[in-house]
Amino acid sequence: MYRSIKMRYFYRLLCILCLCTSQANAQQNIVIKAENLSLRQVVKQVEAQVDYTFLYDEQRISLNKRISLDVHGNLHSVLKAIERVALVELQLSGKHILMKPTRVGVLSGRVIDEQGVALQSVSVYLPSMDQRFITGEDGEFRFQYLAAKKRQEILIVSLLGRQEQRLNVELSPGERQLDDVTLPILSMGLEEIAVAPTTDQRLESNSSIYINREVILQSGALSLNDLLNLVPGKKIEAPSLQRVQQANLRTANYATSSAASRDAFALNNSFGVALIMDGVAISNNANMQTRNAGMTGMENANVFGGVSGLKGGGNSPGNYSGDYAFGGLDLRQITTDNIESVEIVAGVASARYGDLTDGAIIINRMAGSSPLHFQMQLRDNATVYGLNKGFQTKKFGGISFGANFTRSFEDNRDKLKAYNRWGGNAMWTIAGGRERAFTNTLAVDYNRNLDNVLQDPDDPTGTFVRFRTYNFSVSNRSNYRIDHGFISNIGLNMRYGQSYQNTYKEQLMNGTFVIYSDATEVGVAKGVYGPGTYTSVSHIEGKPIDFTARVDLTGHYYTGDVSHQLQFGANYNYSKNNGAGQIVDPSRPNSLSSAATAGNRSARYYDYTQIRAQQQLGLYVEDVFQIAVADRPLHVRTGARMDFFERFVTISPRANIRYELHPNWRLGLAYGFSSKAPALAQLYPGPVYYEIPLFQYTAVTETGAVDAANSLYLLHVDKYVPTNNALKPTKSQQLEFSAIYASEGFRLAMNIYDKRSYNGISTFRRFEVTTLDQYKTNPDPTAEVPYVIEGTENHRLTRNEFVNGNKSWNQGIEVLLSTPKWSPIQTVFNIRGGLTYTKAQPLQVMQDFTNPGTDAGYAVTGVYDARVRNTVVSNAALTTSTHIPKARLLVNFTAEFNILNKTNTRASDGIPTGYYTERGEFVTIPAFDPQNSQYRHLLQTQESLNNQNQPGVYSNFHLNLSKDISERLTVAFNVYNVFNYRPQYLRSDNTLIIPNSKPTYGAQVRLRL
């Protein structure tokens, strides 16, 4: 027994000694110096300094690979250094070091110009890793990634002013050095240039449309809105800045431009299109440039002014507004001077993007070294000057500056309607850290937009209207690339924006007298008599503030041999308006707020600074991976996001799946939900005041003038504060099928979609009846009080409240077809087209009428069934692009076809189901009697409801020519409606419609110094 105990302690002591010896070897200081040595030689250096031997399979590992290494330290740190440079995995096992191939791959290369000189500040982006590399002086880039097996991905190499390169690269284990990537200067002399937007299912969505810098330059765009002409199914419009421009995607609803009544469905659609610039969303949530929607309803709440003059037509008197509340941003404010690319996502967007229901427009801008670019565009209605210059510094990265000035008139002969825009921006991009892993882009933007309607000197009743918007923003985009571990990239995007918005309208009022009141307490008040000749003023001042931050993390992991790219993060948005608000001078009322007018709704001062801020928080996660199904790649992008707004939480799952059925065929399927929070103007429209006339006695002097001192006007003030705290985010869901065929230069892309939107926001109108004392003239003219109270009288009060109730269904098909260049005529053919069917169902339908007599039972507001509006729109365009590189010439000729524009309603939609009288009494109509004199005027014929129907197919033709005069000078010329083809037809309501505008001409000069 004693002997067994001694042996037990002996073995324990032996184990401890072995462990100590192993630990001593591990802690031993090892020095490895290798300059372009083989891996075999480095292995021998290690073995010579430690009591370990390497085990490996030479059929799987190349020991002749050359590496450079200078490291000293313990065994653990030395092995990690060898792993990093040799791309192997090393593991201690007893007295052996096991070496096996790693799953790490390296993709590297160099970017050069036409002369072979390395280019600095080039953006090299690997979307599959969400990693970006900014090249240094040597023009080199390097990506390290996890790779279990080979896969094909896309690499985007771009620099402002040079032709973007989109390369198909193979990501596989090991190291791969690409051939030098050449970025030539954009020129008509290049052998191949982009002439049309493209689709690529490796973008943010299966159906995304990508517009690069070459296509932007050829478009002659005055603003971002002009690029939407390239979306399939869109009607082509000549560049102009004389109306509000908001993006509408995949809908056949009416426009949101500048008409006197803006369609609620179109406003909801444009409000749901997110605008993302440099990775950060730009919000219109804090825009409150609107009259009180509780008085007018959402569709009529803008400040409108008359447009008259020599031109006529385009904007009929009294229907122009430059405000854009309740909808998306006004795209006139965004120039295309330094935009590198635009991606239009009309389908299911990535889960990283929130606060949207109808797609996104993703704008990428760049900073870097570039020559001085000067451009001038002269159009029949606009003059544009632009200047851009980029600098490259040795220590502080690339800096670029840009400036733009635009002057535009509705009619150059009278210049009554004008839109002026000027602004500038500066961008600074820097990269640093180990292997330039950290990149940062800082952007500062400022622009002023002046939209004026001057008073016609020949029209004393005309109005002067001014819409001003000054925008300032600072944004920063940071990325940190990590080559090892689960996390491969960390991104932080932030933007602070502040605007000054001022809407001002004045109109001469000429009357005998005016009665006004500034009372804000509920009850009977005395009105004030004032002179009837004055200038009425409508004035709104807003100061929106918007702060947005987003954190994105990208990680990689494996399930078996399947590589997953996991993206997750969070976003935060803060919106506030610190403007003075609706500034009202009670002594100068307009026609709406006058105390003695019909409707009797009166405006009061409304301070926007008292409105609390809106805050939103979102979280998202998205997994991107590729698996093999029937030996063909299946690409999956699936994820979900959770958005928090007030007390509401919305969860939006999204998925984009594409399958490479054949090397030439790719099929895609996408499905997703999305939501959009209400705007501040919808949450807090402000209190509504009613001034109900009770008694009026107007005394006059011997000269016939109003004797204000002896006159009396009594009114009852009613105050109503809408409570919209139950307003929920709007929601949408979309199912989409896509297909792409590409073979021998032919490329066909087709998308079929079904999009459903619900909880759409609009104003719901209801009526309340209040009973007040009835004031009558005192029959005793000598009495001290000129009135007596006899009985009571009912009064109808209108209540407009924001509610969730509108629904719409949008279905359609989009087609893009391009052909290879036909060599005999050096021409490429591009076809794009689409058909959109929209079914819109409002929550209610009412129509107001005027009582021509004194019948108290006369119907003044008709109530109809919530009619479903079915609209079908179809447009197509064929473009021939003739490019002759030797002549440095490009000619684009477009034949446009407006195929269908039709609205269908039921015959019963125009038959009222009931009506309201002036006193607020509701009367049901069980069976409509066309002979009933009290309500027969409510009938609306089907022809009047379907009055936008287009009787046939109409065409239009456009020409664009670009020519390089020299390597530094390019001239371009474009004409919309080049043949002055202007067909016309009569609508069912006898309105003459001319679908094609008259020809508009533009010339552009681009100079590179």
Side-chain angles (χ1 to χ4, degrees):
M1 178 178 178
Y2 175 74
R3 179 180 177 85
S4 65
I5 294 175
K6 289 180 60 178
M7 291 301 295
R8 190 184 310 158
Y9 279 107
F10 173 77
Y11 286 128
R12 287 181 180 178
L13 180 61
L14 183 62
C15 291
I16 292 173
L17 290 174
C18 290
L19 288 173
C20 291
T21 303
S22 175
Q23 186 68 22
N25 281 322
Q27 295 298 327
Q28 179 181 349
N29 188 56
I30 305 170
V31 178
I32 302 294
K33 290 188 177 182
E35 183 65 34
N36 199 28
L37 297 181
S38 67
L39 178 58
R40 189 188 306 274
Q41 292 173 305
V42 174
V43 166
K44 289 181 178 180
Q45 285 191 31
V46 176
E47 289 178 335
Q49 300 181 56
V50 296
D51 295 330
Y52 288 85
T53 56
F54 284 78
L55 298 179
Y56 46 81
D57 184 354
E58 289 199 49
Q59 293 184 348
R60 300 179 62 196
I61 297 176
S62 174
L63 294 180
N64 296 321
K65 178 191 301 183
R66 297 284 175 174
I67 63 174
S68 295
L69 186 65
D70 187 357
V71 63
H72 61 87
N74 58 32
L75 180 60
H76 178 75
S77 62
V78 170
L79 294 183
K80 285 295 182 184
I82 296 175
E83 284 182 334
R84 186 168 58 253
V85 298
L87 301 180
V88 294
E89 289 185 10
L90 301 175
Q91 181 181 355
L92 290 176
S93 177
K95 301 295 292 182
H96 301 289
I97 301 174
L98 304 180
M99 182 188 300
K100 56 184 179 180
T102 182
R103 288 181 170 182
V104 173
V106 171
L107 180 70
S108 59
R110 188 170 72 115
V111 186
I112 59 174
D113 63 12
E114 300 93 320
Q115 287 74 39
V117 179
L119 287 175
Q120 190 174 356
S121 295
V122 177
S123 171
V124 186
Y125 181 53
L126 189 60
S128 65
M129 303 287 294
D130 196 25
Q131 288 188 350
R132 189 180 303 273
F133 197 103
I134 304 296
T135 62
E137 294 181 359
D138 55 6
E140 295 181 352
F141 61 89
R142 184 179 186 273
F143 294 99
Q144 186 167 311
Y145 52 88
L146 295 176
K149 57 183 179 180
K150 297 179 181 179
R151 67 180 192 271
Q152 295 292 325
E153 298 294 349
I154 191 169
L155 185 71
I156 305 172
V157 186
S158 57
L159 179 64
L160 187 64
R162 293 183 177 271
Q163 188 179 52
E164 178 186 88
Q165 301 296 316
R166 300 172 68 86
L167 309 175
N168 289 314
V169 296
E170 181 183 272
L171 300 186
S172 58
E175 187 168 1
R176 184 186 177 195
Q177 175 78 26
L178 296 178
D179 295 334
D180 287 347
V181 180
T182 303
L183 290 187
I185 294 176
L186 289 175
S187 164
M188 297 298 114
L190 296 175
E191 285 297 323
E192 297 293 336
I193 61 173
V195 295
T198 60
T199 58
D200 192 320
Q201 291 185 327
R202 284 171 291 191
L203 296 170
E204 292 291 347
S205 170
N206 285 352
S207 58
S208 288
I209 297 173
Y210 186 77
I211 304 171
N212 67 9
R213 183 63 185 169
E214 294 170 271
V215 179
I216 294 173
L217 287 175
Q218 298 163 28
S219 68
L222 294 177
S223 69
L224 178 65
N225 181 73
D226 295 326
L227 299 181
L228 299 184
N229 284 335
L230 302 173
V231 174
K234 283 281 188 180
K235 179 177 172 62
I236 298 176
E237 298 179 355
S240 175
L241 299 172
Q242 294 304 318
R243 61 178 182 85
V244 170
Q245 298 172 348
Q246 294 173 306
N248 287 109
L249 298 177
R250 288 186 172 176
T251 181
N253 284 311
Y254 304 124
T256 65
S257 57
S258 306
S261 179
R262 298 182 178 180
D263 183 69
F265 290 94
L267 286 171
N268 277 281
N269 181 278
S270 66
F271 192 52
V273 177
L275 191 63
I276 300 164
M277 181 178 291
D278 301 330
V280 185
I282 304 176
S283 171
N284 196 39
N285 290 348
N287 186 343
M288 300 189 69
Q289 294 303 109
T290 170
R291 297 183 296 176
N292 194 322
M295 299 167 63
T296 63
M298 185 178 77
E299 297 182 345
N300 300 287
N302 294 102
V303 175
F304 297 97
V307 178
S308 57
L310 299 172
K311 185 174 182 178
N315 287 305
S316 58
N319 71 345
Y320 179 78
S321 177
D323 290 330
Y324 49 96
F326 306 124
L329 286 163
D330 187 357
L331 301 184
R332 293 182 297 178
Q333 301 176 13
I334 302 176
T335 66
T336 60
D337 291 354
N338 64 338
I339 294 179
E340 182 65 21
S341 65
V342 175
E343 182 179 345
I344 300 175
V345 183
V348 179
S350 166
R352 75 168 65 185
Y353 300 123
D355 205 32
L356 57 85
T357 52
D358 292 276
I361 300 176
I362 303 172
I363 304 167
N364 292 309
R365 302 184 301 174
M366 301 190 66
S369 177
S370 64
L372 178 65
H373 286 85
F374 170 77
Q375 63 176 2
M376 178 178 64
Q377 185 174 177
L378 303 176
R379 303 199 63 84
D380 49 2
N381 60 359
T383 304
V384 182
Y385 302 94
L387 194 67
N388 292 275
K389 172 62 180 170
F391 302 90
Q392 186 63 49
T393 64
K394 290 186 178 181
K395 295 183 179 180
F396 302 105
I399 304 173
S400 63
F401 300 92
N404 179 280
F405 174 76
T406 303
R407 190 170 180 82
S408 173
F409 296 102
E410 174 74 16
D411 191 325
N412 282 312
R413 295 171 296 176
D414 57 33
K415 295 181 171 54
L416 293 179
K417 171 68 181 69
Y419 181 87
N420 297 326
R421 176 190 67 196
W422 66 267
N425 77 289
M427 298 185 68
W428 173 36
T429 297
I430 191 171
R434 182 175 175 271
E435 295 184 350
R436 303 177 69 83
F438 175 76
T439 61
N440 191 85
T441 298
L442 175 69
V444 179
D445 293 87
Y446 179 77
N447 64 72
R448 297 167 68 99
N449 304 274
L450 311 177
D451 193 2
N452 298 328
V453 180
L454 301 180
Q455 184 177 11
D456 189 342
D458 299 325
D459 182 8
T461 64
T463 59
F464 166 74
V465 192
R466 180 184 66 216
F467 307 94
R468 289 186 176 179
T469 303
Y470 307 156
N471 300 314
F472 170 79
S473 66
V474 179
S475 61
N476 193 81
R477 178 173 56 185
S478 301
N479 282 277
Y480 185 69
R481 192 179 68 254
I482 303 174
D483 291 337
H484 298 281
F486 169 68
I487 300 296
S488 63
N489 193 80
I490 301 175
L492 174 62
N493 300 332
M494 295 185 296
R495 180 184 184 273
Y496 173 81
Q498 183 170 333
S499 300
Y500 174 77
Q501 299 173 333
N502 192 296
T503 302
Y504 181 86
K505 173 185 176 181
E506 64 179 35
Q507 184 175 13
L508 296 177
M509 308 295 288
N510 188 12
T512 306
F513 61 89
V514 67
I515 308 175
Y516 62 89
S517 172
D518 59 0
T520 57
E521 298 297 327
V522 176
V524 178
K526 286 185 178 182
V528 179
Y529 280 77
T533 302
Y534 62 93
T535 301
S536 69
V537 173
S538 297
H539 192 190
I540 306 172
E541 181 190 272
K543 295 181 180 178
I545 293 175
D546 184 74
F547 173 75
T548 301
R550 195 180 80 211
V551 177
D552 300 307
L553 295 98
T554 303
H556 282 81
Y557 69 97
Y558 277 87
T559 54
D561 287 338
V562 178
S563 172
H564 295 259
Q565 175 186 311
L566 186 67
Q567 299 176 342
F568 56 99
N571 65 275
Y572 170 78
N573 177 260
Y574 173 93
S575 299
K576 182 79 167 67
N577 197 309
N578 288 330
Q582 299 170 18
I583 304 170
V584 176
D585 182 354
S587 66
R588 298 194 295 171
N590 57 41
S591 58
L592 176 65
S593 61
S594 176
T597 58
N600 306 307
R601 282 162 284 182
S602 178
R604 293 291 190 274
Y605 175 61
Y606 183 33
D607 187 359
Y608 290 166
T609 62
Q610 303 303 310
I611 298 173
R612 69 187 186 94
Q614 180 192 76
Q615 301 186 66
Q616 299 178 65
L617 176 66
L619 306 172
Y620 80 92
V621 61
E622 188 171 61
D623 192 11
V624 182
F625 60 92
Q626 173 186 320
I627 60 176
V629 176
D631 295 326
R632 300 298 306 168
L634 176 68
H635 305 269
V636 179
R637 177 189 289 269
T638 180
R641 65 176 295 113
M642 180 181 294
D643 291 287
F644 302 85
F645 167 72
E646 300 292 342
R647 66 179 186 274
F648 302 105
V649 179
T650 58
I651 299 176
S652 306
R654 300 175 192 173
N656 278 273
I657 302 171
R658 66 179 186 273
Y659 182 59
E660 297 185 19
L661 184 64
H662 183 271
N664 299 334
W665 278 100
R666 292 181 181 176
L667 303 179
L669 183 67
Y671 184 70
F673 290 79
S674 55
S675 64
K676 178 75 177 77
L680 284 177
Q682 295 166 333
L683 292 168
Y684 311 105
V688 178
Y689 292 88
Y690 262 83
E691 297 177 346
I692 304 173
L694 299 176
F695 178 78
Q696 180 178 349
Y697 170 73
T698 304
V700 295
T701 64
E702 295 179 356
T703 61
V706 175
D707 185 0
N710 295 309
S711 298
L712 178 65
Y713 182 81
L714 296 179
L715 64 151
H716 177 84
V717 177
D718 175 84
K719 180 181 179 181
Y720 172 67
V721 181
T723 55
N724 297 331
N725 53 4
L727 204 59
K728 298 179 290 187
T730 59
K731 296 181 180 180
S732 72
Q733 59 176 318
Q734 185 167 191
L735 175 66
E736 177 185 72
F737 171 78
S738 59
I740 292 181
Y741 172 78
S743 177
E744 298 180 351
F746 289 92
R747 187 175 184 87
L748 171 66
M750 182 179 65
N751 306 309
I752 301 174
Y753 60 88
D754 180 282
K755 181 174 66 174
R756 303 190 178 191
S757 302
Y758 46 98
N759 283 351
I761 297 176
S762 63
T763 44
F764 181 84
R765 182 160 57 139
R766 62 183 180 85
F767 301 102
E768 289 185 1
V769 177
T770 183
T771 302
L772 300 175
D773 291 335
Q774 188 171 15
Y775 289 68
K776 294 185 177 180
T777 303
N778 195 328
D780 183 2
T782 62
E784 183 178 354
V785 179
Y787 60 85
V788 293
I789 299 176
E790 294 183 358
T792 59
E793 185 177 21
N794 290 337
H795 297 268
R796 186 183 78 166
L797 303 178
T798 302
R799 308 302 196 199
N800 286 303
E801 298 175 314
F802 281 100
V803 296
N804 300 101
N806 285 359
K807 300 178 182 179
S808 66
W809 296 261
N810 298 276
Q811 299 171 329
I813 182 172
E814 300 166 339
V815 176
L816 281 168
L817 173 64
S818 62
T819 70
K821 181 181 288 188
W822 188 15
S823 298
I825 57 174
Q826 295 289 295
T827 300
V828 173
F829 297 89
N830 289 280
I831 298 175
R832 64 178 183 272
L835 182 144
T836 303
Y837 165 75
T838 295
K839 181 168 69 173
Q841 181 177 352
L843 192 60
Q844 67 173 186
V845 178
M846 290 185 177
Q847 185 71 34
D848 290 330
F849 299 86
T850 302
N851 188 349
T854 59
D855 183 2
Y858 189 82
V860 294
T861 301
V863 179
Y864 306 83
D865 283 334
R867 65 177 68 116
V868 177
R869 190 177 71 202
N870 299 283
T871 304
V872 183
V873 173
S874 179
N875 296 291
L878 168 64
T879 300
T880 64
S881 301
T882 302
H883 175 220
I884 307 175
K886 292 183 179 180
R888 295 176 173 267
L889 176 67
L890 174 66
V891 180
N892 290 324
F893 180 79
T894 300
E896 178 191 6
F897 302 95
N898 308 135
I899 302 171
L900 193 61
N901 188 352
K902 185 177 180 63
T903 298
N904 291 324
T905 57
R906 296 169 300 187
S908 60
D909 285 341
I911 301 176
T913 59
Y915 63 88
Y916 286 92
T917 66
E918 288 181 323
R919 298 303 178 188
E921 179 187 1
F922 179 73
V923 180
T924 302
I925 304 177
F928 183 80
D929 180 7
Q931 304 301 320
N932 189 304
S933 61
Q934 289 189 319
Y935 64 73
R936 63 187 179 189
H937 57 282
L938 301 180
L939 180 65
Q940 295 178 305
T941 64
Q942 194 170 15
E943 288 77 12
S944 65
L945 296 177
N946 299 340
N947 62 8
Q948 79 171 53
N949 292 351
Q950 177 180 299
V953 178
Y954 295 95
S955 58
N956 205 347
F957 305 93
H958 319 292
L959 177 67
N960 189 307
L961 183 149
S962 298
K963 165 70 175 172
D964 283 353
I965 303 301
S966 67
E967 293 184 356
R968 299 184 180 275
L969 179 63
T970 301
V971 297
F973 180 74
N974 57 71
V975 187
Y976 286 78
N977 193 5
V978 63
F979 299 136
N980 193 18
Y981 175 57
R982 306 192 70 195
Q984 56 190 27
Y985 62 90
L986 280 176
R987 288 194 322 199
S988 57
D989 59 356
N990 288 325
T991 301
L992 180 65
I993 299 298
I994 305 176
N996 297 342
S997 63
K998 70 177 186 179
T1000 64
Y1001 305 88
Q1004 189 175 23
V1005 176
R1006 298 193 294 269
L1007 181 62
R1008 184 175 65 253
L1009 300 176

